[in-house]
Amino acid sequence: MTTLTPQWQRFFYSHHFFGGLRQAVGVLLPALVLSGLLGWMADGFVAAVGAACVAILDQPGGPRRYGINGMFAALCLGSLTTAVTGLAASHTLLIWLAVPALCFGFSMLTVYGKHGGLLGFACLLIMTLTLRTPLTSHDVLHHTLVSFLGGAFYLVYSVAAHRLLWYREEQQVLSAALFATADYIASRARFYDIHQDLDAVYRQLIHHQATMTDAHQAARDMVLRELPRGTTRRPDRLRQGLLNLFVDMINLLDSTVATHTDYAMLRQALPDSDALLFVRDAMRKLSDNVSSLALNVARNRHARVRNSVKAELRALEFELQHLRETGLAARQPEIYALLVQVLRRLRNMTRQVARMADHSVNPMPRDASNLAQANRTLNRFLTRQKWRIGLLTHNLHARSAPFRYAVRVAIAALLAMVAGTLLATIPLVNTLDPGIAGHSYWIVLTVLIIMKPGFALTRQRNGWRLMGTLIGCGGALLLFSLALDARLYLLILVSCSILGYGLVQVNYTLSAMFNTLFVLLVFHFLMPGSDTMVGERLIDTVIGCVLALSCSYILPAWERNSLDAMAQALLQANQAFLQSGLAWVDIGRQDRAAGRAASPAQNEADTQWRLARKNVHIAFSNFASAFYRMMDEPARRQRHVPELNRLMIQHHTLASQIAAVIPALEKLDTEPDGIQQAVTAAKNLLAGHPADIPNVIDADGRHAGLAYPLRQMIKAAQQIGEDMRALAAPAAPATPTGTVRPVTG
């Protein structure tokens, strides 16, 4: 735990729990009405399955427009899948052809990213659950219609819930981004603790940065999707308050990132100084302030957060004065300048956190005349999803990772059906319906839930699923042995459904446990007294886990094959970040020289630089996540581990120093020769060209605060160039354990 806010509070006030509650109510309501009020148990189950298919696309934290479009697509494709599966189920040969074909086709939708994968899984889920009850050709139309109505109900219900509760949804998504920012600041504070291992801190920092990038993008897509159009209506004022908080959060992140330095050098230069501890304590307090603010936003409470950092800042000022009097500024001017810069950044962060607290109480609406231009600018930061048929057809070849994944899923589903059919012939493990309805559908469902495009994700989810199922089955046996009242069982069933949906992105093991309890309780109501199904479901889950993990070795898509392209994309993102920043600096100087205020060209350059900064964070998150997934794969499947690890660290350093250098350069009307040469050298090194590196960057000592980050930029660019060239060379053998320690220098 990195902040004072307990994790249970984060969860129960989060968009995860709120979304899980919304999904559970929407899925269970048709079943409760049809079975509880009308006595139509079978139709209630079918309607709930149709609603569950649509609910998969109703993900908390994503762009709402895409969610509605995805739910509509799931409704249409899911109903078609239900009809096809129902018709094929009555013919032995057809069902053995249809299931692998549908698994392949819907798994190919992963070419469209996360939303495509969710749509494909939703259709595969409804296909699998349709297998549970053998249908005659006369029953298919009725079954499909009931499933369609259940899905249609959920779609209408979700849209209505969003219309009524849109502000709470956006608050909770923004709160999650604020919590992630607080965790990131807390992880940076650990760098200034001399008792912390730098390698471990780096690993934690990169993990928190990847999580924060995803949370920020989700908040960006929610908050910026519907921007205020004026200042008079209450909804616009509420949106303005959320927008101001989001902008403040991004500005706070800029100041935090720009404090990056060579922490090993600082520890070596100041081993006994309290200056580092004062910085650590100040950042911890700021992290706690942001965490408290996030909790207030999630609770819809308007209160200023105050955890004063004045004592730490004043102590740091006193320590800097002492270091200057003892000659540090003369002996090591760059170290002293760096500490002064850190102090300034901390002051800036303190002001920004205070501003965020003020904005949580008073939105301070913008001038209505500027809203249209601001909205057009902010719209460019949104995620765009394009569904082009050409993207699907161009991936129908053996070298495509989505194609290989679809083949694996189809084979695994076919083997699951074989295993289920064989189990149906064993009386000791077949007390349920015989054939496909007895075991195959549950084994297929387990395979589809576990299998992911990457080997590491499949293996990880395999263990989580197996553990959650084991605990859930044990809990179900305990509950059934107590012979509780049916109303209490129903209450537990509803609670398990809510927690199962809410925890799926937070803790998959607990989510699997609650989902297992939920399903077994459903069967307890459908078939009272058949408690032996608990053991059968556990057996089916174990078989599905074994099949999923075994089939992951069929045409595997190892992460090493994609890391070179991701490394190149990260390099290009950092190049664009530096070049767009320098363009903004040049246009700003031209405007000042001409004696005019910020021109449209400068505003556009500033927007381009901020877009480039966002792209760097996303590219770095993608690269780091893929690298650590590779480290979870077998050691013999890893390649260039030291080079890729150094690239990750050096790109992080480079982006941080660019974020520190560009605002400082923008304040200079002219650049001294040494600084200009250093900037040119960094540009050339990143482009792979020879560079003339200056021996002296700050000849007159007036810009010591720029000299250090520029040296770090050059050093990082040199190392990046060497490692990129090494990627083209034959890979060195991986370590037997497949582990690596980050390079902190």
Side-chain angles (χ1 to χ4, degrees):
M1 188 178 302
T2 55
T3 69
L4 296 179
T5 305
Q7 295 297 324
W8 67 268
Q9 279 188 306
R10 290 194 186 196
F11 173 69
F12 283 109
Y13 284 104
S14 72
H15 63 295
H16 297 296
F17 179 76
F18 184 79
L21 178 62
R22 183 181 66 242
Q23 289 172 302
V25 171
V27 169
L28 293 178
L29 199 56
L32 294 176
V33 170
L34 292 178
S35 60
L37 297 182
L38 303 178
W40 300 346
M41 296 287 291
D43 285 347
F45 179 81
V46 173
V49 170
C53 171
V54 176
I56 290 174
L57 275 296
D58 187 20
Q59 291 294 312
R64 192 62 196 172
R65 186 183 67 184
Y66 294 160
I68 295 174
N69 293 343
M71 286 189 289
F72 182 75
L75 175 63
C76 298
L77 280 179
S79 300
L80 180 61
T81 303
T82 302
V84 170
T85 306
L87 290 172
S90 59
H91 301 82
T92 304
L93 179 60
L94 282 181
I95 194 61
W96 284 83
L97 294 175
V99 170
L102 289 173
C103 287
F104 175 83
F106 288 128
S107 296
M108 279 297 297
L109 294 181
T110 54
V111 300
Y112 297 112
K114 176 183 176 181
H115 289 90
L118 289 174
L119 177 59
F121 176 73
C123 295
L124 292 177
L125 173 66
I126 204 168
M127 174 204 76
T128 308
L129 294 178
T130 303
L131 292 174
R132 176 185 170 272
T133 307
L135 302 173
T136 66
S137 56
H138 300 289
D139 295 330
V140 172
L141 179 60
H142 174 78
H143 188 96
T144 304
L145 180 60
V146 174
S147 176
F148 174 84
L149 292 176
F153 166 80
Y154 186 91
L155 177 59
V156 174
Y157 156 82
S158 179
V159 172
H162 169 67
R163 292 288 184 185
L164 293 173
L165 302 171
W166 65 269
Y167 183 58
R168 292 293 296 135
E169 290 182 5
E170 294 190 12
Q171 277 183 312
Q172 288 163 339
V173 173
L174 181 59
S175 171
L178 288 168
F179 273 127
T181 306
D183 290 341
Y184 180 75
I185 296 173
S187 65
R188 274 194 173 275
R190 296 181 64 202
F191 279 117
Y192 297 94
D193 188 343
I194 60 175
H195 301 295
Q196 296 284 344
D197 178 64
L198 283 178
D199 294 342
V201 175
Y202 257 108
R203 284 192 291 271
Q204 186 187 60
L205 177 74
I206 291 171
H207 167 72
H208 282 308
Q209 181 164 343
T211 303
M212 181 184 65
T213 299
D214 293 339
H216 280 196
Q217 190 58 47
R220 187 177 287 112
D221 287 332
M222 285 286 283
V223 174
L224 303 187
R225 188 69 60 181
E226 294 290 339
L227 292 168
R229 296 181 176 85
T231 59
T232 56
R233 298 190 309 150
R234 183 174 181 271
D236 285 331
R237 291 195 299 272
L238 295 176
R239 288 191 172 100
Q240 187 63 59
L242 296 177
L243 175 60
N244 286 341
L245 270 176
F246 175 79
V247 172
D248 291 339
M249 179 182 67
I250 297 300
N251 291 335
L252 175 63
L253 175 62
D254 290 344
S255 296
T256 307
V257 169
T259 60
H260 184 88
T261 184
D262 189 335
Y263 302 103
M265 181 187 69
L266 266 183
R267 292 182 177 190
Q268 184 178 2
L270 303 170
D272 302 319
S273 173
D274 290 335
L276 300 186
L277 298 182
F278 296 144
V279 177
R280 180 202 65 183
D281 293 344
M283 295 190 72
R284 283 180 176 176
K285 280 191 174 182
L286 290 173
S287 172
D288 292 339
N289 283 349
V290 176
S291 181
S292 299
L293 175 63
L295 187 60
N296 280 341
V297 171
R299 289 172 165 178
N300 195 27
R301 292 183 179 178
H302 302 282
R304 285 182 172 86
V305 179
R306 183 169 179 81
N307 189 3
S308 179
V309 192
K310 289 182 179 179
E312 286 73 17
L313 295 181
R314 288 176 179 172
L316 181 57
E317 291 173 0
F318 177 82
E319 189 67 21
L320 287 179
Q321 180 65 27
H322 174 70
L323 291 173
R324 182 171 185 176
E325 291 173 354
T326 56
L328 179 68
R331 293 193 313 269
Q332 295 177 293
E334 289 187 9
I335 293 291
Y336 182 79
L338 179 61
L339 290 174
V340 172
Q341 185 183 40
V342 169
L343 174 61
R344 290 172 179 169
R345 295 286 180 184
L346 286 175
R347 287 173 178 164
N348 191 31
M349 292 170 64
T350 304
R351 287 193 295 269
Q352 287 167 343
V353 172
R355 178 181 172 87
M356 292 168 68
D358 290 339
H359 277 168
S360 68
V361 178
N362 178 19
M364 295 171 57
R366 294 175 181 266
D367 184 358
S369 62
N370 297 326
L371 284 175
Q373 177 62 37
N375 290 355
R376 284 193 296 270
T377 299
L378 292 172
N379 277 330
R380 295 156 67 180
F381 289 84
L382 297 175
T383 301
R384 306 295 179 184
Q385 180 75 43
K386 295 183 179 179
W387 294 71
R388 293 178 284 109
I389 190 64
L391 186 61
L392 186 65
T393 56
H394 290 165
N395 278 274
L396 293 175
H397 56 81
R399 297 185 306 277
S400 167
F403 178 85
R404 296 160 77 93
Y405 167 65
V407 171
R408 289 197 299 276
V409 173
I411 294 174
L414 184 61
L415 293 176
M417 294 176 67
V418 172
T421 303
L422 293 176
L423 281 178
T425 63
I426 304 175
L428 293 177
V429 293
N430 188 42
T431 61
L432 298 179
D433 299 331
I436 286 177
H439 288 277
S440 289
Y441 88 93
W442 191 269
I443 301 176
V444 172
L445 180 62
T446 302
V447 166
L448 295 177
I449 289 174
I450 290 175
M451 291 198 74
K452 294 297 173 184
F455 175 87
L457 290 176
T458 299
R459 186 173 67 175
Q460 188 181 56
R461 181 160 286 205
N462 195 306
W464 291 343
R465 177 74 182 180
L466 192 57
M467 181 61 68
T469 301
L470 180 63
I471 298 173
C473 288
L477 287 175
L478 178 62
L479 284 175
F480 296 155
S481 67
L482 297 176
L484 302 175
D485 184 79
R487 289 172 294 184
L488 187 55
Y489 278 131
L490 181 61
L491 178 62
I492 296 173
L493 182 149
V494 173
S495 301
C496 287
S497 177
I498 295 171
L499 293 173
Y501 276 115
L503 286 165
V504 69
Q505 296 182 37
V506 178
N507 189 313
Y508 190 79
T509 299
L510 289 178
S511 176
M513 180 192 74
F514 285 116
N515 282 329
T516 300
L517 275 172
F518 167 74
V519 171
L520 293 175
L521 285 168
V522 168
F523 280 117
H524 182 75
F525 280 105
L526 292 177
M527 296 179 290
S530 57
D531 296 346
T532 54
M533 77 179 73
V534 176
E536 295 188 15
R537 291 313 177 208
L538 182 58
I539 293 173
D540 294 345
T541 300
V542 172
I543 294 173
C545 289
V546 171
L547 287 175
L549 188 60
S550 301
C551 291
S552 295
Y553 289 93
I554 300 174
L555 296 176
W558 304 111
E559 294 293 343
R560 67 183 187 184
N561 298 325
S562 61
L563 274 167
D564 286 0
M566 289 187 175
Q568 187 63 40
L570 180 54
L571 174 60
Q572 293 173 355
N574 256 324
Q575 283 181 285
F577 188 35
L578 177 59
Q579 292 169 355
S580 59
L582 294 175
W584 173 56
V585 170
D586 290 340
I587 295 175
R589 287 174 181 165
Q590 293 172 10
D591 287 347
R592 288 199 301 271
R596 58 175 176 260
S599 64
Q602 185 181 7
N603 292 333
E604 174 63 20
D606 180 43
T607 300
Q608 291 296 332
W609 186 54
R610 295 177 186 276
L611 283 169
R613 178 188 59 197
K614 183 200 80 166
N615 294 335
V616 165
H617 288 313
I618 293 174
F620 180 82
S621 176
N622 292 339
F623 179 81
S625 298
F627 174 78
Y628 283 118
R629 286 197 301 268
M630 183 186 75
M631 299 309 300
D632 287 333
E633 295 175 347
R636 66 181 183 277
R637 300 300 180 183
Q638 301 167 14
R639 61 182 290 272
H640 291 304
V641 171
E643 292 82 2
L644 292 169
N645 181 67
R646 283 195 298 268
L647 276 175
M648 180 172 60
I649 300 301
Q650 295 304 327
H651 272 296
H652 183 268
T653 300
L654 178 64
S656 298
Q657 301 305 342
I658 292 173
V661 164
I662 294 300
L665 287 178
E666 199 274 336
K667 297 177 182 178
L668 301 178
D669 292 329
T670 58
E671 292 178 7
D673 291 340
I675 292 177
Q676 190 173 27
Q677 291 174 12
V679 172
T680 303
K683 287 173 55 180
N684 290 338
L685 287 170
L686 287 177
H689 300 147
D692 183 15
I693 301 174
N695 294 323
V696 178
I697 295 178
D698 183 31
D700 54 11
R702 292 187 303 164
H703 305 289
L706 265 173
Y708 172 78
L710 284 171
R711 282 201 179 92
Q712 290 293 101
M713 281 176 57
I714 293 173
K715 179 182 176 182
Q718 286 176 314
Q719 185 65 61
I720 288 170
E722 293 175 7
D723 290 327
M724 290 297 292
R725 289 188 292 271
L727 292 183
T735 59
T737 59
T739 59
V740 67
R741 291 170 64 85
V743 179
T744 57

